[in-house]
Amino acid sequence: SEGVPAGVVAHCCWSPTEGGGVFTEVVLTIVNYQPKPCNARISLMPGGKCGKALTGLLHGRMFTLKDRLSRQAVATDGGLLLGEKPGGLQLSLQPWEARVFDLTEQ
């Protein structure tokens, strides 16, 4: 994804409900593929047909991100994830650390 620092990979997948509308599941996976810690600012900046669908799901909505691996949770704005607002999603990642977030609309 664009807006992701070197050595960090971010991937977002989702399963929309039939006929559009509110999504059933959105998962954001972020991995630090480096032997050193890093501070990452994640902005997905989706493009293409799939990107338009993702933008429709996230734009203008607030979410809780719950990490499947640590069970930590944080609230965020869909605009930060999409790069519509400055700063992006800010994370501190240890060497080789991964985060797998479930997004739940608030």
Side-chain angles (χ1 to χ4, degrees):
S1 295
E2 295 178 25
V4 178
V8 175
V9 174
H11 178 74
C12 189
C13 62
W14 66 95
S15 173
T17 58
E18 287 188 34
V22 181
F23 55 83
T24 57
E25 181 178 39
V26 176
V27 179
L28 174 61
T29 303
I30 303 167
V31 181
N32 178 11
Y33 281 104
Q34 304 177 85
K36 61 183 181 181
C38 75
N39 292 315
R41 291 183 182 202
I42 308 298
S43 295
L44 297 175
M45 300 179 186
K49 183 178 178 181
C50 290
K52 288 180 184 178
L54 182 60
T55 298
L57 293 174
L58 300 180
H59 176 76
R61 295 185 169 105
M62 291 295 297
F63 296 90
T64 298
L65 280 69
K66 187 172 184 181
D67 189 352
R68 291 183 180 186
L69 304 177
S70 71
R71 298 320 238 178
Q72 293 179 345
V74 63
T76 192
D77 184 316
L80 286 174
L81 295 173
L82 293 170
E84 297 172 342
K85 296 184 178 182
L89 175 64
Q90 298 183 25
L91 297 172
S92 293
L93 299 166
Q94 294 302 311
W96 314 112
E97 183 177 8
R99 305 271 181 97
V100 180
F101 292 108
D102 287 312
L103 280 74
T104 306
E105 188 173 5
Q106 295 181 347

